[in-house]
Amino acid sequence: MLKKRIIPCLDIKNGRTVKGVNFINIKDAGDPIELAGRYVDEGADELVFLDITATIENRKTLIQLVRKIAQNINIPFTVGGGIKSVADVAILINAGADKVSINSAAVKNPLLISEIAQEFGSQCVVAAIDTKYIDRNWKVFVSGGRIETKLETVAWAKQIESLGGGEILLTSMNNDGTKTGFSLDITNEVSQAVNIPVIASGGAGKMHHFHSLFSQTEASAGLAASIFHFNEVAIPTLKNYLNENKIPIRCL
Amino acid sequence: MITIIKYNAGNIGSIKNVLDQLGCESIVSDDTSEILKADKVIFPGVGEASSAMKYLKEKELDKTILSLTQPMLGICLGLQLMCKSTEEGRTECLGIFENTVRKFPPKKKVPHIGWNNFSSTNGTLFHNINNEDDVYYVHSYYANLSKQTIATCNYIQTFSAAIQHKNFYATQFHPEKSAKIGFKILKNFLQL
C-alpha cells in the first residue's frame, strides 16, 4: 500500500539552516547536511530545502549545498526558492536535486511548468501554491505571500495539472505558523479536484493534526518545519502514532 | 569497477553518489568499451521512453546492452526500456524482458509517487529484505507481470516491482533513493 509521506522542510539562508517563526527572529540553526542527515535517520520520507533569500550571490552557495546534500543523502529531496527558468532548474537537477519547487515564476508564466516537465519529466515539477482565504474565496498569493493575485486556488491547481505539474505543494497562509492544524477544507478541495499528489503545508502543531489531514483529506503528504526543528514532535513518535491509528505510513 | 550507462535521462548522478557512499568505485560512461569491460553495469534513469530509446540507438548502446553477460541492473525507466515495448511514445524497447509497459489508468493519483512495499517471489537481489519494507517509487507507467517478474507491487493494480532474466535485473523503484533498504538491495546486486 502506498504510504502517506512526512516531509520536513528546511529553510536555507547563505548555505545555513535558519529557524524562525513567521520569518521573525531568524536564528542560525546550523549545518543543513547535519540536520537533513538526522531527519533521514529518523525516517523522514523526503526533504524540502527552500532558499529563503534566493539572490544571485546566494545561488552559487545553494548549488554547492545541493551537491553536498546529494552526496550525503539517499532519500528524495526537493529544492525551491527563486527558480525562474528551465536553465535554473537544469543547474539544480544536475547538482543532484530530485525535484524543484516553483511558485511565483509559474504564476507569472504558467508555460514554465510545461517547459520543465518536457525537459525533466513531470515527476520533478512541484508547483507550490501559497493560498489565503479572503472575501469568501481561496486566492493564490505570490512573492512569499506578499502579493495577492487574481487566481483562485482550485482553478490554478487544475491548470497546474493540465500543464504537466507532477505534485502540488499547498500552503495555507491562514494556518501557517499558527500550529492549530492544517487547513483541511482547501486541502481536500484541491486534492479532490486534481489527480496529482497534493502535499499539505501550514499549521502543523500536534501529532493529531497529521491524523486529521490523512483521515479527512486526500492529501498524499504533510510538510512541516518548526515542529521538527524545535523538537516539538519527533518524526519516529509521529510515525508510530499514525501507524497505530491506521494511517498507512512507513515506519523504520 | 561498475559502469553506469550515461544517456539522455535524468538522475544518473544519484546512483553514482550512492555507490560513492557505499565505497564502491564507479564511472558514468556511454563508451561501449567502458561498459563491456565493467564487472557490473547499472542502467538508471528518469525520463521519457521514446527519446531515451532513440538516443540509445543512435549511440548503438542498445546493441552493447544486449551483448552484456555480466550482471546489469536497470532502475525505473531503465526497467521499462528493458521490456518489450511501452505505451509511452509507442516505443519498441530492448526486449530483454517479455513484459510490456502501460500507463496507469487514472483511478488513483498518477504518478505513483512515494514509499510502497513489494512482495518478492525469489531472488538473491532481495536477500535479507522483508516484504513489509517500503521502497521509493515515482512513475506513471508500469510493467505488467510475466514469469520473469521477481517482485510485485500493488498500486491501482499489481505490477512488476522487479524483473530478472539471466544476468539482467531491474527494479521499478529507486534503490538509490530508498534509504537503508535501498542500500541493502544495491549491496545484494554488487555481491552477485
Side-chain angles (χ1 to χ4, degrees):
Chain A
M1 187 179 224
L2 182 64
K3 309 301 186 291
K4 300 290 187 182
R5 289 172 279 158
I6 302 294
I7 308 178
C9 178
L10 288 78
D11 289 333
I12 304 295
K13 192 182 176 187
N14 303 324
R16 304 280 290 175
T17 315
V18 289
K19 288 179 181 176
V21 180
N22 287 341
F23 292 89
I24 300 162
N25 296 326
I26 288 181
K27 284 185 296 189
D28 188 295
D31 181 4
I33 310 278
E34 257 170 55
L35 187 57
R38 199 190 90 198
Y39 288 146
V40 172
D41 290 343
E42 289 178 351
D45 295 310
E46 276 180 45
L47 296 171
V48 171
F49 297 85
L50 281 186
D51 182 11
I52 61 165
T53 50
T55 59
I56 293 159
E57 305 87 76
N58 284 323
R59 216 66 203 169
K60 282 182 192 152
T61 320
L62 179 72
I63 290 153
Q64 278 170 356
L65 176 67
V66 170
R67 202 164 284 135
K68 258 207 235 164
I69 295 164
Q71 283 162 1
N72 285 279
I73 282 182
N74 57 357
I75 63 168
F77 70 98
T78 304
V79 180
I83 293 165
K84 291 186 181 65
S85 65
V86 173
D88 289 344
V89 176
I91 293 171
L92 293 168
I93 296 285
N94 289 335
D98 296 290
K99 316 179 194 181
V100 292
S101 148
I102 51 170
N103 193 338
S104 308
V107 172
K108 221 177 272 173
N109 171 24
L111 286 179
L112 182 60
I113 295 172
S114 311
E115 288 168 18
I116 301 171
Q118 267 162 29
E119 189 79 20
F120 305 100
S122 286
Q123 83 293 331
C124 91
V125 189
V126 180
I129 305 177
D130 290 335
T131 184
K132 193 172 174 180
Y133 192 66
I134 196 161
D135 301 331
R136 295 183 177 185
N137 253 322
W138 283 97
K139 299 298 284 284
V140 177
F141 281 66
V142 291
S143 299
R146 289 188 297 273
I147 299 169
E148 185 182 342
T149 71
K150 288 178 182 165
L151 294 172
E152 290 192 8
T153 301
V154 173
W156 174 228
K158 284 184 179 172
Q159 200 187 341
I160 288 168
E161 179 181 31
S162 67
L163 288 164
E167 287 178 277
I168 289 172
L169 168 54
L170 182 69
T171 302
S172 162
M173 293 165 59
N174 302 72
N175 300 53
D176 204 23
T178 62
K179 298 197 177 171
T180 54
F182 293 96
S183 181
L184 301 179
D185 48 357
I186 188 62
T187 304
N188 206 28
E189 246 187 275
V190 170
S191 53
Q192 285 188 353
V194 297
N195 201 41
I196 53 177
V198 173
I199 303 162
S201 153
K206 298 267 189 292
M207 294 202 292
H208 69 85
H209 295 151
F210 286 90
H211 183 261
S212 308
L213 175 70
F214 295 137
S215 57
Q216 293 174 41
T217 82
E218 298 281 307
S220 301
L223 178 140
S226 60
I227 56 159
F228 299 133
H229 298 339
F230 292 109
N231 285 318
E232 290 163 25
V233 170
I235 294 170
T237 320
L238 170 63
K239 289 190 134 188
N240 285 333
Y241 158 82
L242 290 172
N243 189 41
E244 279 162 17
N245 285 280
K246 309 274 183 268
I247 303 293
I249 205 95
R250 178 177 74 110
C251 289
L252 296 183
Chain B
M1 174 66 84
I2 311 292
T3 299
I4 301 161
I5 299 177
K6 181 175 152 188
Y7 67 113
N8 61 336
N11 251 4
I12 306 257
S14 298
I15 186 78
K16 167 93 180 129
N17 282 327
V18 165
L19 292 178
D20 288 349
Q21 288 175 43
L22 287 169
C24 175
E25 238 183 288
S26 63
I27 56 163
V28 179
S29 175
D30 58 3
D31 181 83
T32 300
S33 66
E34 292 287 1
I35 296 168
L36 289 176
K37 76 178 185 199
D39 298 322
K40 294 189 176 71
V41 176
I42 297 185
F43 182 41
V46 171
E48 200 275 327
S50 65
S51 61
M53 253 336 275
K54 195 169 160 244
Y55 182 93
L56 292 176
K57 280 184 179 163
E58 274 167 18
K59 293 253 175 191
E60 297 199 338
L61 288 168
D62 55 336
K63 289 177 193 154
T64 309
I65 291 171
L66 290 171
S67 73
L68 293 176
T69 51
Q70 61 272 59
M72 176 170 114
L73 177 66
I75 297 171
C76 194
L77 180 63
L79 173 142
Q80 299 188 357
L81 294 176
M82 288 159 80
C83 292
K84 222 155 73 182
S85 64
T86 171
E87 275 185 2
E88 190 175 28
R90 294 187 180 179
T91 310
E92 287 301 311
C93 300
L94 295 166
I96 294 168
F97 304 137
E98 53 193 55
N99 312 56
T100 54
V101 178
R102 300 196 184 113
K103 183 154 192 168
F104 277 123
K107 287 181 188 164
K108 281 188 190 177
K109 293 191 180 296
V110 177
H112 174 220
I113 297 185
W115 298 78
N116 203 335
N117 53 331
F118 62 90
S119 47
S120 61
T121 52
N122 58 43
T124 39
L125 203 54
F126 302 119
H127 181 65
N128 276 337
I129 304 286
N130 187 327
N131 278 346
E132 294 305 305
D133 288 336
D134 290 308
V135 287
Y136 192 82
Y137 295 83
V138 47
H139 59 125
S140 302
Y141 292 78
Y142 69 93
N144 67 359
L145 304 180
S146 81
K147 62 177 188 293
Q148 296 168 340
T149 299
I150 55 168
T152 61
C153 174
N154 196 286
Y155 185 73
I156 300 178
Q157 61 203 77
T158 305
F159 65 88
S160 291
I163 314 176
Q164 185 204 341
H165 177 60
K166 294 181 184 163
N167 56 314
F168 294 99
Y169 298 77
T171 63
Q172 180 58 63
F173 55 85
H174 288 268
E176 79 283 13
K177 289 286 164 188
S178 297
K180 284 181 183 153
I181 304 304
F183 269 14
K184 272 197 200 169
I185 294 169
L186 285 172
K187 278 185 185 161
N188 286 341
F189 172 72
L190 295 172
Q191 280 167 10
L192 282 174

